[in-house]
């Protein structure tokens, strides 16, 4: 039996939790009624796919994830369209990336098609949790942890693949708003040959200190490459773009940068609009020079959480103000278009949207 | 109340588990009857120190450790001396290093004196678990995990500090034995500005792939620096030493190497013996040249698990055989001396040994 043919056992909770108020939606603090879980052992492969009430895990203190951080995760969202349907944005790329991360971390691959089926079924079951207000959505967090009770440095022989859901508010309370970021000169997030292009916990643990040390008001730090400390990599949990003299530039995927779904969508939209866009190495010197010459027209981050984050101030050598600290035209168009596609308000010329079918109560009862 | 004055609540298990047979002691697969646990919250700091029966943890699937790997750990051992007393080897250095790791990972510091007290009390309670056969010991694993149920990239506001114990066999079944290691040219463990000098899970997760790709028979890979890919850093879970032309050389602590307790002890012993020893940068070119000139006399790893691991073969450019693939004289003396001190067979001129007092049953019952 391949995973694709595997069925998902469903065990619904008897009474749901209270949902957070629309105006009290924080990011990642409340979770829905159910979660998806699947186990891996060497003998059985991935097995026992199930949707069960959201509940604490029972894990041995020697489980490898606590000691050697062999884990990967993903992040995507479900949006409600005007017809009340739930829809996902390019979810296939998330599971493809998860398998890429798995490979780097020596975690056995998942069946991407089956994972998408699981996400859809889970979202459908907890559909009432998708908030309706403008800019809100349901954040989806698939993740894999190594659960073998063994404190030796080696790939785990047991894993758990889980998906949990969290209703989230608009990232910016008053819509899109420029942020201030600072270039990080001391700490490094990762390096060529490391785990930078994998979405693994260790990269994020390594990033905390720089943020802690950053001056007040810095929303995120901008990472430079770990070798020459000259080339721009990414910001916090976003990829980065610069518009210099009419040309949009983003760092090329070099092994230490995450291959962002939003990054890829931005590039495709710009190409579609015939805006020149280049993926290549870009150094802080080049950016600073453009700033001094007055050709640094825009800078923005791109990621699932905030979609597009215009950068109003960039700190390196001095406080560079970009586009008078205002949201630039390209950033604005990208934000408007991407969110309009995500919420189904305009046509979807790239086939990026994957709708989630409603699963009738009866179907569920039958499998229950 | 400072942590030092805090008392440890003890809750003993009613009946102990069966202990593994002396000849079936694997590394890190069986655990003793009890564990130490302590919680951290912003309001209360570290609190509720307790020794309780070894049992699975109940942790929310959104606990930060599963997603962002904010965790640190330590590794040391308890040895039984000929008088039947349990003794630790330089445990203060482990808790000092843990606080160093905590700082890098934005985890609140622990009280080192209190942690040592906790380890001693736990070892004393599970003293029957320390195996008696030659070369065996009780491996001690202190670790801290981030437990706040929040999926956002920020330092956790809740932690759990735990200590678990595992009886372990002699690392080498037939005593000290040369191993084969290969220089890793593609993957990097960490880099300057990263987390290399912290004992955090992410470094170990990042290291798995290189080991998986290494050719058959390679016990561990030798990491090079992430910037120039020329300078030797460390092997798997050991620091490394070379003896070239009568001089012992080990890579200097540069921010990306772990400050090993065994490494430090080796340096101090060599100094005590008037063997010239240097901490400095050492490149693979220098090592290879010494090999070709016939002056690469010894190479060995040093770490708590194996104490000293002579390197019989080093793979880089070619298969270099060192000291005819035999254990060198320096490696042998270091191994013999370090283990003799650890097991209390010879005097301890450096005051490295910390004895664990037996805690009477009555004392325990009283606090129970
Ligand atoms: C390090 C990093 N870079 C970039 C991104 C943006 O990726 P995506 O657009 O797929 O959300 C993220 C967030 O997922 C991230 O964590
Ligand atoms: C990466 C690394 N280097 C070196 C060492 C050796 O350190 P110690 O001698 O304190 O065990 C270890 C093991 O703890 C390790 O994991």
């Amino acid at each position: 039996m391949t995973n694709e043919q595997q069925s998902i056992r469903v065990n619904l909770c008897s009474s749901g939790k209270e949902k957070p108020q629309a105006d009290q939606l924080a990011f990642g603090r409340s979770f829905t009624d159910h979660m998806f879980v699947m186990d891996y052992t060497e003998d059985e492969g991935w097995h026992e796919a199930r949707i069960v009430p959201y509940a604490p895990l029972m894990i041995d203190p020697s489980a490898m994830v606590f000691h050697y951080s062999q884990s990967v995760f993903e992040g995507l969202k479900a949006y409600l369209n005007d017809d009340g349907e739930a829809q996902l944005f390019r979810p296939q790329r998330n599971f493809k990336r998860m398998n890429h991360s798995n490979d780097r971390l020596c975690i056995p691959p998942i069946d991407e098609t089956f994972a998408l089926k699981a996400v859809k079924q889970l979202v459908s079951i907890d559909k009432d949790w998708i908030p309706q207000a403008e800019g809100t959505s349901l954040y989806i967090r698939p993740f894999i942890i190594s659960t073998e009770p063994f404190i030796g440095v080696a790939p785990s022989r047991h894993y758990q693949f889980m998906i949990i859901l969290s209703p989230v508010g608009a990232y910016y309370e008053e819509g899109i708003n420029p942020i201030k970021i600072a270039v990080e000169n001391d700490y490094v997030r990762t390096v060529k040959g490391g785990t930078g292009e994998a979405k693994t916990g260790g990269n994020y643990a390594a990033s905390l200190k720089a943020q802690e040390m950053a001056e007040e008001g810095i929303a995120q730090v901008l990472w430079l490459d770990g070798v020459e400390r000259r080339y721009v990599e990414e910001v916090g949990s976003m990829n980065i773009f610069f518009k210099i003299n009419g040309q949009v530039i983003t760092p090329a995927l070099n092994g230490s940068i995450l291959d962002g779904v939003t990054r890829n969508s931005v590039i495709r939209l710009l190409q579609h609009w015939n805006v020149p866009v280049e993926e290549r190495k870009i150094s802080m010197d080049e950016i600073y020079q453009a700033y001094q010459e007055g050709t640094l027209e825009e800078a923005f981050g791109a990621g699932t959480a905030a979609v597009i984050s215009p950068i109003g101030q960039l700190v390196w050598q001095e406080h560079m103000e970009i586009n008078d600290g205002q949201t630039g035209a390209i950033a604005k168009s990208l934000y408007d278009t991407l969110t309009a596609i995500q919420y189904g308000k305009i046509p979807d010329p790239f086939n990026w949207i994957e709708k989630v079918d409603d699963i009738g109560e009866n179907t569920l009862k039958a499998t229950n």
Side-chain angles (χ1 to χ4, degrees), chain A:
Chain A
M1 184 170 80
T2 71
N3 274 331
E4 265 185 74
Q5 291 159 324
Q6 226 184 92
S7 69
I8 301 174
R9 179 166 61 78
V10 178
N11 175 13
L12 298 186
C13 62
S14 43
S15 64
K17 290 179 281 197
E18 207 183 319
K19 300 181 179 62
Q21 301 285 319
D23 58 350
Q24 277 166 18
L25 285 172
F27 186 91
R29 295 214 177 265
S30 66
F31 299 91
T32 66
D33 290 329
H34 299 91
M35 62 187 187
F36 172 83
V37 189
M38 188 160 154
D39 301 319
Y40 178 91
T41 56
E42 275 181 335
D43 286 351
E44 299 187 75
W46 288 109
H47 66 286
E48 226 191 305
R50 56 204 187 268
I51 289 173
V52 292
Y54 186 95
L57 309 177
M58 288 267 288
I59 303 201
D60 200 88
S62 68
M64 299 185 81
V65 65
F66 295 137
H67 304 268
Y68 307 118
S69 301
Q70 194 194 6
S71 67
V72 298
F73 69 95
E74 272 301 327
L76 66 162
K77 285 175 173 176
Y79 311 85
L80 221 48
N81 69 20
D82 288 341
D83 298 330
E85 294 167 306
Q87 45 185 47
L88 309 173
F89 184 73
R90 310 185 77 185
Q92 295 86 351
R93 283 186 80 92
N94 291 95
F95 292 113
K96 196 166 165 213
R97 186 167 69 188
M98 184 173 239
N99 268 340
H100 192 70
S101 303
N102 282 339
D103 181 62
R104 180 64 183 84
L105 274 293
C106 301
I107 295 174
I110 54 160
D111 181 316
E112 297 168 23
T113 312
F114 183 73
L116 180 56
K117 176 175 143 184
V119 142
K120 285 182 176 177
Q121 192 164 341
L122 181 64
V123 168
S124 164
I125 287 174
D126 279 344
K127 192 179 164 194
D128 286 355
W129 282 86
I130 311 181
Q132 314 217 349
E134 167 115 27
T136 63
S137 57
L138 186 68
Y139 183 77
I140 302 170
R141 168 57 57 90
F143 64 107
I144 298 177
I145 55 175
S146 43
T147 50
E148 186 180 353
F150 171 46
I151 50 172
V153 181
S156 178
R157 295 179 305 184
H158 309 166
Y159 299 89
Q160 224 162 39
F161 172 32
M162 307 190 57
I163 307 174
I164 58 177
L165 307 174
S166 172
V168 296
Y171 204 83
Y172 301 110
E173 281 177 17
E174 305 143 60
I176 185 172
N177 234 336
I179 57 169
K180 178 170 164 183
I181 67 173
V183 175
E184 174 56 45
N185 291 309
D186 297 326
Y187 295 103
V188 160
R189 177 183 164 269
T190 177
V191 69
K192 191 164 170 4
T195 53
E197 62 180 344
K199 212 163 160 67
T200 181
N203 296 339
Y204 298 83
S207 79
L208 298 173
K209 186 74 181 176
Q211 187 66 42
E212 183 184 275
M213 304 298 281
E215 67 177 82
E216 185 84 20
I218 298 296
Q220 308 243 295
V221 301
L222 175 59
W223 300 106
L224 299 184
D225 78 282
V227 174
E228 298 185 58
R229 305 280 185 111
R230 290 176 54 204
Y231 297 101
V232 169
E233 298 226 315
E234 52 191 339
V235 250
S237 44
M238 295 187 286
N239 294 106
I240 193 163
F241 290 80
F242 297 93
K243 180 161 167 265
I244 296 179
N245 216 356
Q247 170 112 34
V248 179
I249 302 152
T250 192
L253 300 175
N254 60 356
S256 56
I257 295 177
L258 198 77
D259 182 0
V261 176
T262 320
R263 174 186 182 280
N264 180 276
S265 310
V266 163
I267 293 170
R268 294 201 36 205
L269 272 180
L270 292 173
Q271 287 167 340
H272 187 68
W273 294 339
N274 288 318
V275 175
V277 54
E278 260 194 318
E279 300 177 65
R280 64 165 168 87
K281 274 184 156 188
I282 178 164
S283 70
M284 273 314 301
D285 296 305
E286 178 179 349
I287 293 162
Y288 189 56
Q289 194 185 333
Y291 169 74
Q292 288 180 311
E293 290 170 358
T295 55
L296 177 58
E297 295 152 359
E298 286 192 42
F300 55 88
T304 296
V307 192
I308 299 293
S309 259
I311 296 163
Q313 265 195 73
L314 175 58
V315 186
W316 191 73
Q317 317 280 17
E318 58 176 293
H319 282 64
M320 299 184 235
E321 198 171 69
I322 303 174
N323 194 38
D324 297 326
Q326 303 301 307
T327 299
I330 288 281
K332 181 81 172 64
S333 305
L334 285 166
Y335 180 82
D336 290 345
T337 308
L338 283 169
T339 53
I341 293 175
Q342 286 162 344
Y343 289 91
K345 301 201 181 290
I346 59 170
D348 166 27
F350 307 101
N351 269 318
W352 283 343
I353 294 302
E354 189 75 34
K355 290 214 174 131
V356 176
D357 290 334
D358 283 340
I359 296 177
E361 281 268 317
N362 294 338
T363 323
L364 280 177
K365 293 267 157 64
T367 58
N368 208 359

